[in-house]
Amino acid sequence: MKFVRIILKVLAGLLIFIGCFLAISLAPVDDTPYREMPYYAQTKQRLAQLPAPLTTGQPLRAGWAKVNMTPSYTTPTGGYGERLGKHWKTIADSIFVRAILLDNGNTKVAVVGLDLVITPPTVTEALKKRLPEVGLRWENVYMGAIHSHNSMGGWAPRVVGQLIAGGYDKKIVNRITESVLTAIRNAQANMAPVQVGFGESDATDLISNRLSSSGPTGPLDGKIRLLELKKTTGESALLCTFAGHPTLFDGDNSAYLSRDYPGSLVDRLEKKSANFAMFLAGAVGSTAPEPRGKTDFQEIRNYAGDLAVRIERTVPTIQPRSDSTLAILTLPLGLREPHPRVFGNWRVRPWLFYALYGDYPSDLKALRIGQTVLLGTPCDFSSELAAELNPVADQKGFNLMVTSFDGGYIGYITPDRYYNRQAYEVRDMNWFGPYNGDYFKEMMTGLLNKIDPAKPGK
């Protein structure tokens, strides 16, 4: 009987502990409309206070370079939590940092593309400290990533990050950071006057909407977009964006270090269409690739080939012109409290989220090069939302390129109407609560207005 009493006391104590833990760890979802929240007012004020950029100056000059950052040792692959930190064993293709440096005498900007699943927030924080070494600040850098789920991991120190990217290794963060700085230095060493051109081709047939399994969905932005920079020597660079999710390596295939289809595409473009090519993942949130092939490698080759054929038809139609227009805006982004939902309408409290993931600042970016504007987001940004932004850019005469993974990472941003669906993209990967789709669209529209000299006060 004494033993039974002891067991009952232990169970009672355990239940009290669990109850107390849940009470301090969980809270109901806050569904207050975003325009009534303090973070909205703060971000809107920051947007209003951004100085109207001085867009014109001397004719544009540009340089470009790539640095191989493939490690000599194996690392976890970043992208699939189901791999539980497994290391790759074979280098299928090397991984790089690519950089394009632009200057019009008034403004200098570096566009940096990482052959990683995202731009690691740890790397962003390191770069903020070290960019002055190459004459830049974070506000003058536009970051992106190819979003391969078979590239180098090991760059996230906390539990959630390690589920995505495997065990943390500080030397990997240092390696990526050093490679970025070296690529910028090397790009600066070959600056020359350039002309600027833009082209696009439709590839909507190569993507599908993963959310369609949970109900009706809207149209996707399925265009391949190309920004061409051409020197007087004839040397050229292509910046390419597309919304196809680079997940052609299956989740159970962690054996290879690879850039997935963006790597195969860039390699082909550098052989046939340009001296230098950079791929930045576009609005990949909730998209799935529609590949052909019996193996992962066949799918990668065929998918990259299908994109390359369309690009190769488009590049000769691009008409580069001299231009002096260059401007960049960085908008620090306020957010609702962390809202990862664990069951029903209950979400994790901020202290627990930050303990498990970290507290990293996030920005929206706007980069104008001639009549092309790139909008950078700190997330897997929805292709449906990108499609809704295109008419705004069209009214201003802008060519719009929306990219994901600009330095922070806050999960998926999807249309607000899907918030209560039972789907991975809007349930597991929505980390900051409801109404972010409309919030992001409003702020991105504000950046488009701000970077348009025809409406400098808006």
Side-chain angles (χ1 to χ4, degrees):
M1 185 62 70
K2 183 178 180 181
F3 177 74
V4 173
R5 287 199 298 269
I6 293 173
I7 294 295
L8 290 174
K9 288 181 180 179
V10 170
L11 289 175
L14 184 60
L15 288 174
I16 291 171
F17 172 78
I18 292 173
C20 291
F21 181 77
L22 292 176
I24 64 172
S25 302
L26 302 181
V29 167
D30 179 1
D31 60 1
T32 305
Y34 74 92
R35 288 179 175 167
E36 298 175 16
M37 299 291 287
Y39 72 84
Y40 170 75
Q42 292 166 359
T43 305
K44 193 171 182 181
Q45 183 178 23
R46 290 174 190 149
L47 176 63
Q49 291 174 344
L50 285 176
L54 183 62
T55 56
T56 58
Q58 301 169 9
L60 276 173
R61 301 174 75 248
W64 43 81
K66 60 183 178 182
V67 171
N68 192 327
M69 63 173 174
T70 309
S72 58
Y73 46 89
T74 67
T75 71
T77 55
Y80 287 110
E82 66 192 78
R83 291 178 178 168
L84 301 176
K86 288 183 181 177
H87 283 226
W88 54 266
K89 300 175 182 177
T90 303
I91 299 173
D93 49 284
S94 296
I95 60 173
F96 295 83
V97 172
R98 286 174 159 81
I100 298 173
L101 194 65
L102 300 133
D103 193 349
N104 72 348
N106 293 323
T107 303
K108 183 184 291 186
V109 175
V111 182
V112 178
L114 304 178
D115 287 345
L116 300 172
V117 67
I118 65 172
T119 299
T122 47
V123 172
T124 298
E125 295 309 298
L127 285 172
K128 287 177 180 179
K129 297 175 183 176
R130 297 196 55 193
L131 280 167
E133 297 175 22
V134 292
L136 294 170
R137 300 180 303 136
W138 174 247
E139 290 75 15
N140 295 91
V141 177
Y142 189 99
M143 299 286 296
I146 63 170
H147 203 45
S148 167
H149 289 51
N150 266 63
S151 189
M152 182 167 58
W155 31 256
R158 296 180 186 252
V159 173
V160 173
Q162 292 185 40
L163 287 173
I164 297 170
Y168 178 64
D169 187 343
K170 182 69 161 60
K171 69 184 179 187
I172 291 175
V173 174
N174 293 339
R175 184 180 194 86
I176 299 167
T177 304
E178 289 291 348
S179 297
V180 170
L181 296 174
T182 301
I184 293 173
R185 289 190 188 99
N186 293 349
Q188 194 157 12
N190 64 70
M191 300 279 285
V194 292
Q195 293 183 318
V196 183
F198 177 84
E200 61 184 17
S201 179
D202 187 64
T204 306
D205 57 304
L206 296 180
I207 58 174
S208 60
N209 196 329
R210 298 193 314 222
L211 282 169
S212 61
S213 62
S214 66
T217 56
L220 300 175
D221 179 4
K223 287 188 176 180
I224 311 162
R225 292 181 170 84
L226 305 166
L227 181 72
E228 183 180 45
L229 302 171
K230 183 167 283 190
K231 296 180 179 179
T232 54
T233 59
E235 185 182 0
S236 66
L238 274 180
L239 172 59
C240 173
T241 65
F242 182 59
H245 226 95
T247 48
L248 298 182
F249 273 109
D250 292 335
D252 59 1
N253 191 351
S254 62
Y256 299 97
L257 178 73
S258 173
R259 292 171 287 159
D260 207 283
Y261 83 78
S264 181
L265 174 61
V266 162
D267 290 349
R268 176 163 167 172
L269 293 179
E270 290 185 339
K271 290 177 181 176
K272 295 189 174 184
S273 300
N275 302 95
F276 174 92
M278 177 191 295
F279 181 94
L280 297 181
V284 296
S286 306
T287 69
E290 293 293 320
R292 299 178 294 108
K294 295 181 179 180
T295 69
D296 292 349
F297 285 101
Q298 286 179 356
E299 288 182 349
I300 288 169
R301 183 174 62 251
N302 292 339
Y303 198 79
D306 289 343
L307 291 169
V309 166
R310 301 175 201 211
I311 292 171
E312 288 160 6
R313 288 197 299 258
T314 303
V315 169
T317 69
I318 297 175
Q319 298 180 341
R321 295 181 174 85
S322 296
D323 205 313
S324 63
T325 308
L326 180 65
I328 187 167
L329 295 171
T330 298
L331 176 62
L333 195 62
L335 294 166
R336 193 180 297 261
E337 286 185 347
H339 263 65
R341 287 170 288 177
V342 288
F343 56 85
N345 207 35
W346 290 86
R347 47 105 177 181
V348 170
R349 288 188 185 271
W351 73 266
L352 183 56
F353 177 84
Y354 293 136
L356 295 175
Y357 178 68
D359 185 5
Y360 300 104
S362 297
D363 305 311
L364 289 174
K365 295 265 187 177
L367 170 61
R368 182 173 175 183
I369 306 169
Q371 284 302 110
T372 298
V373 175
L374 288 84
L375 290 178
T377 63
C379 56
D380 283 75
F381 189 73
S382 167
S383 186
E384 288 188 57
L385 294 176
E388 294 171 14
L389 283 166
N390 286 329
V392 180
D394 290 343
Q395 289 177 359
K396 296 180 173 297
F398 287 150
N399 311 306
L400 182 61
M401 303 172 78
V402 177
T403 64
S404 301
F405 319 117
D406 72 356
Y409 187 70
I410 61 170
Y412 275 59
I413 298 297
T414 53
D416 297 337
R417 58 188 175 273
Y418 304 148
Y419 183 70
N420 289 313
R421 290 191 182 185
Q422 298 300 312
Y424 167 81
E425 294 81 4
V426 296
R427 187 80 190 180
D428 300 354
M429 293 302 294
N430 183 316
W431 294 353
F432 284 88
Y435 309 124
N436 281 317
D438 283 348
Y439 173 50
F440 267 59
K441 280 198 307 177
E442 180 175 341
M443 294 305 158
M444 293 164 79
T445 299
L447 286 172
L448 282 173
N449 287 334
K450 198 80 175 186
I451 211 161
D452 181 0
K455 298 180 179 180
K458 295 186 178 181

